Amino acid sequence: MQPLIYPDLPGPSPLLRGYAGMQNVILRQKKTIRDVDVRGRRVLVRADFNVPLDEDGTIADDTRIRASLPTIRYLCEQNARVILCSHLDRPKGVVEERLRLALVANRLSVLLDRPVVALRDCIGPEVESAVAGMSGGDIVLLENLRFHPEERADDPAFAKHLAGLAEVYVNDAFGASHRAHASVVGVPEHLPAVAGLLLEKEVKTFRRILEDPERPFAAVIGGAKVSDKLEVLENIISRVDLLLIGGGMAATFLASRGYGTGISHVETDRLDAVRAISAQATELGLRLLLPRDIVVAERLEAGSPTRVVPATEIPDGWLIADIGPGAADEFSHELSRCRTVVWNGPMGVFEVPAFAEGTRRIAATLANLRGTTVVGGGSTADAVVRFGLDDRLTHVSTGGGAALTMLAGRPLPGVTALDDAEEP
Ligand code: ADP
Ligand code: MG
């Protein structure tokens, strides 16, 4: 059996010092909204208004709407005619009344304290005449793009119709920029295409931590499955000084080292990949920590019996529900010495209060850290919002899949599609 903890090196790994700048550049520098003249012009803004909805159809969390305000305010100050568009949820290419964007327009209007007109479609003669009637500073919101199957299919004619509404295209939808959809990659073929302020902030934040982090630099990776995070682990391992593993994926790591994991889900087809990551950690001389103790449960439900056990002694018939208090202490201690931390994936099934403590401890540690703290991942962002700690982190990404794509070191199609900035 192999040890749980890899070599105990103090501080940043010597192999990695001065590593900055050696990485291939993830994204070339792109034009932003400040690099084009938008005064008085018709500007199509691809925003990410894909907000979670309650059972009764009201907006459960308007973080993404609020995150779009700086770009919209900037355009209004420039007296631009602002044409917003977005998708909401997953309508199957047909109109679904409960997914109309009028509810977003209403919320936006309150937040901006000015009218936002919701249109009943996103292309067609009615939309064209509404846009033709706009004055400088007016705002309209096109209907849910995914009511048309052409959006997801990146249909060229659909993209051309959308582009025909405007003179400038702004992508501010970080959360949709990993998708090669018509409004993300098709429209910018036809118009001057630039990044909005939110997209710029998101991309810059991830670039900075990946390419030139202040060290020591740690990654905390959790969540349900290794397979969702394999590319992230493979990319991040050559960049960090410390890698902490929690969540359900700890089961596959423990199993790869020969430990029993009870009835936890082990991804047997990923054991070799996980062993390779552990071997690479050793080779690079960085510390990879698995939780030393575990909260195990009989079921992943409220009310299930629970126990705290050493990670090496998970009993038969029980499964991993959260990292244990000893692991939370150790992880917090390690993180408190870091200057940059990126976190993706909860440490346990935080939706159930009995299994939320490990995730809460990590969130609290990051909230108190004097350094750069970045959260990427839909559930991880939900968790820090739920704990009321999001305001105390450097950056909580608005994009789940897009953040994972950046952490995996892959380009975002929606960013690649934008105009390159001029060479300095
Ligand atoms: P993110 O959306 O932040 O990228 P993931 O989607 O990878 O995160 O994982 C989130 C989910 O992982 C949560 O719903 C959480 O309940 C689940 N999870 C965390 N720990 C465990 C565990 N030990 N067993 C099963 N599921 C877990
Ligand atoms: Mg998720």
Side-chain angles (χ1 to χ4, degrees):
M1 278 194 208
Q2 294 178 36
L4 276 184
I5 293 165
Y6 270 78
D8 210 23
L9 301 176
S13 135
L15 281 175
L16 293 175
R17 282 205 194 98
Y19 200 63
M22 277 170 54
Q23 292 302 311
N24 54 332
V25 175
I26 292 169
L27 294 154
R28 265 180 299 171
Q29 218 52 59
K30 293 293 180 178
K31 275 192 185 160
T32 77
I33 203 165
R34 292 188 224 84
D35 300 321
V36 285
D37 186 4
V38 292
R39 281 172 299 178
R41 299 175 86 188
R42 283 177 283 120
V43 179
L44 179 67
V45 181
R46 176 43 159 116
D48 176 13
F49 296 142
N50 185 28
V51 287
L53 302 176
D54 281 330
E55 302 273 291
D56 63 353
T58 56
I59 295 169
D61 174 6
D62 66 359
T63 305
R64 284 179 163 175
I65 301 177
R66 284 185 285 109
S68 74
L69 296 178
T71 293
I72 300 172
R73 288 204 178 105
Y74 174 87
L75 290 169
C76 289
E77 279 161 20
Q78 300 282 314
N79 207 36
R81 289 172 279 170
V82 184
I83 306 160
L84 302 169
C85 66
S86 176
H87 75 281
L88 173 60
D89 211 338
R90 295 169 176 264
K92 301 264 178 302
V94 292
V95 174
E96 272 188 50
E97 289 301 326
R98 68 176 194 96
L99 299 180
R100 286 199 177 274
L101 283 180
L103 84 167
V104 171
N106 291 340
R107 180 66 60 96
L108 257 181
S109 170
V110 170
L111 293 169
L112 288 163
D113 195 22
R114 60 199 300 162
V116 177
V117 177
L119 303 183
R120 299 281 290 177
D121 203 344
C122 57
I123 54 168
E126 276 177 40
V127 174
E128 283 160 27
S129 74
V131 167
M134 290 173 77
S135 309
D138 283 354
I139 306 171
V140 302
L141 172 56
L142 305 183
E143 188 51 281
N144 193 338
L145 294 161
R146 290 199 190 166
F147 287 173
H148 291 265
E150 295 89 345
E151 162 65 358
R152 288 172 56 87
D154 186 19
D155 179 77
F158 179 73
K160 207 168 171 192
H161 279 299
L162 283 172
L165 298 172
E167 297 157 281
V168 176
Y169 168 82
V170 174
N171 181 358
D172 211 23
F174 178 71
S177 288
H178 59 309
R179 306 277 189 215
H181 293 170
S183 65
V184 177
V185 298
V187 176
E189 287 179 25
H190 302 283
L191 293 173
V194 302
L197 300 172
L198 172 62
L199 184 73
E200 180 188 27
K201 178 174 178 243
E202 292 268 13
V203 170
K204 274 194 173 162
T205 301
F206 283 105
R207 274 184 66 167
R208 200 180 57 239
I209 61 166
L210 290 169
E211 294 175 5
D212 191 17
E214 210 186 326
R215 294 185 181 279
F217 174 27
V220 185
I221 309 289
K225 289 190 297 183
V226 170
S227 46
D228 293 340
K229 304 293 165 73
L230 211 47
E231 278 187 290
V232 172
L233 288 166
E234 286 166 353
N235 180 49
I236 208 108
I237 193 154
S238 63
R239 299 168 191 269
V240 294
D241 305 297
L242 174 66
L243 180 58
L244 307 181
I245 301 288
M249 70 165 68
T252 302
F253 273 88
L254 289 169
S256 79
R257 295 180 190 187
Y259 297 105
T261 55
I263 52 172
S264 305
H265 176 60
V266 172
E267 293 160 88
T268 46
D269 54 339
R270 297 290 188 251
L271 290 170
D272 285 342
V274 161
R275 280 187 202 107
I277 286 165
S278 298
Q280 207 184 340
T282 312
E283 204 171 297
L284 291 168
L286 69 92
R287 306 184 65 212
L288 189 164
L289 267 62
L290 300 182
R292 61 171 67 234
D293 60 354
I294 300 279
V295 176
V296 291
E298 288 185 349
R299 300 176 310 276
L300 295 178
E301 291 166 10
S304 164
T306 66
R307 288 167 60 183
V308 175
V309 298
T312 51
E313 291 168 30
I314 295 176
D316 290 345
W318 295 68
L319 46 64
I320 297 175
D322 193 7
I323 61 172
D329 283 345
E330 183 179 31
F331 284 12
S332 294
H333 174 73
E334 292 289 338
L335 292 172
S336 63
R337 298 188 305 141
C338 291
R339 299 292 301 168
T340 307
V341 180
V342 63
W343 180 19
N344 170 270
M347 296 292 97
V349 183
F350 73 97
E351 297 91 339
V352 178
F355 313 136
E357 190 57 18
T359 304
R360 201 192 58 75
R361 289 283 309 279
I362 300 298
T365 300
L366 298 199
N368 289 318
L369 198 85
R370 285 185 33 225
T372 304
T373 49
V374 177
V375 164
S379 295
T380 320
D382 283 353
V384 297
V385 168
R386 197 177 290 198
F387 301 136
L389 294 171
D390 49 320
D391 287 345
R392 291 171 58 191
L393 304 177
T394 309
H395 183 69
V396 179
S397 179
T398 57
L404 284 179
T405 304
M406 287 212 71
L407 291 174
R410 285 192 284 120
L412 294 174
V415 174
T416 307
L418 301 177
D419 297 346
D420 291 328
E422 259 122 64
E423 298 289 327

